[in-house]
Amino acid sequence: AVTPITLLSGFLGTGKTTALQHMLENKEGLRVGVIVNDVAEVNVDARLISPLSGGDSVEGSSTIELQNGCACCSVSDELFKSVGDLLSLGRERGAPFDHIVIELSGVAEPAAVKANFEEAQMMGVPAAQETLVERVVTVVDTSDFVGQWMTDEKLRDRSDLAGDAVDDCAADRSVVELLAEQIEAADKVVLNKMDMSDESTAANADKVVRGLAGE
């Protein structure tokens, strides 16, 4: 059976960690595998996950960390290996994962990641043939959205959004360009931090997001 994958997209600070936590807390008995860029930074409740190298999973979920790269502009061999490791773990336990969630880096282009999975599938990469990127969820910081949308800054100038180790393929991209791409590629957009936004800011963010999403 093909295992569905959800790509979790969004700049740093948008609340991807919180979204991931909610997914694990409300998975309704599903066995969920999680791939993240930095386990320490994610800080997901230990009761919800267990290390790949550990024994039996806790609450039916396991998480692994990308050690030598990120799910960024393209999909590295390491990501496919991580997906393959999760699939193997499920088979070894006799309880295959029902779903895999991949937390993308802040500078990720989800459409490119999805396209690379499709290309890998055609090339016969086992991890890609056994999975399907079913949906993309992009998390947006509503309180800062208007500022991000109006800025002419490059990603190299915004370590708060992209992180300190922005690779060359992303550093020269504009903040608004990547923001638009992450929203346009999404099947679902989460307008996070609404409680930190005034009514006008929230309404403007909602209007732009709906426009980019084609609603």
Side-chain angles (χ1 to χ4, degrees):
V2 174
T3 304
I5 290 176
T6 292
L7 302 179
L8 188 59
S9 169
F11 288 141
L12 295 182
T14 58
K16 295 199 297 284
T17 299
T18 302
L20 181 58
Q21 183 104 12
H22 283 312
M23 287 182 187
L24 294 177
E25 289 173 342
N26 297 282
K27 54 190 172 59
E28 299 180 348
L30 294 176
R31 294 180 294 274
V32 180
V34 180
I35 297 175
V36 299
N37 284 294
D38 189 334
V39 170
E41 287 187 5
V42 170
N43 194 29
V44 176
D45 191 327
R47 292 173 299 174
L48 301 175
I49 61 174
S50 64
L52 180 64
S53 58
D56 294 336
S57 62
V58 178
E59 296 286 339
S61 298
S62 295
T63 185
I64 63 176
E65 178 179 356
L66 293 174
Q67 299 290 344
N68 300 307
C70 64
C72 171
C73 299
S74 62
V75 176
S76 66
D77 291 340
E78 188 193 358
L79 178 56
F80 287 122
K81 180 182 183 301
S82 297
V83 172
D85 287 346
L86 275 177
L87 295 173
S88 296
L89 177 67
R91 287 191 291 266
E92 290 170 5
R93 289 175 171 171
F97 289 106
D98 300 303
H99 206 96
I100 292 174
V101 179
I102 300 175
E103 179 221 14
L104 302 180
S105 72
V107 296
E109 303 168 31
V113 174
K114 185 175 182 179
N116 284 336
F117 261 92
E118 294 169 352
E119 182 179 350
Q121 184 178 34
M122 291 187 290
M123 293 174 62
V125 177
Q129 292 184 315
E130 297 177 45
T131 56
L132 175 66
V133 178
E134 187 176 75
R135 65 176 59 87
V136 175
V137 177
T138 295
V139 184
V140 171
D141 179 353
T142 307
S143 66
D144 191 39
F145 180 84
V146 174
Q148 295 171 12
W149 186 249
M150 300 298 291
T151 187
D152 59 359
E153 292 175 303
K154 303 291 186 183
L155 289 171
R156 69 169 68 254
D157 304 317
R158 294 295 302 270
S159 61
D160 59 318
L161 302 178
D164 294 320
V166 182
D167 54 28
D168 293 337
C169 73
D172 289 327
R173 300 200 63 193
S174 67
V175 170
V176 65
E177 179 185 4
L178 183 56
L179 177 63
E181 286 191 9
Q182 290 180 342
I183 293 171
E184 289 171 343
D187 300 293
K188 297 289 183 182
V189 178
V190 177
L191 290 176
N192 201 24
K193 301 188 179 181
M194 292 286 285
D195 57 328
M196 299 171 60
S197 311
D198 59 40
E199 187 174 339
S200 175
T201 298
N204 286 331
D206 181 72
K207 181 178 180 180
V208 174
V209 167
R210 288 182 182 276
L212 290 171
E215 295 185 9

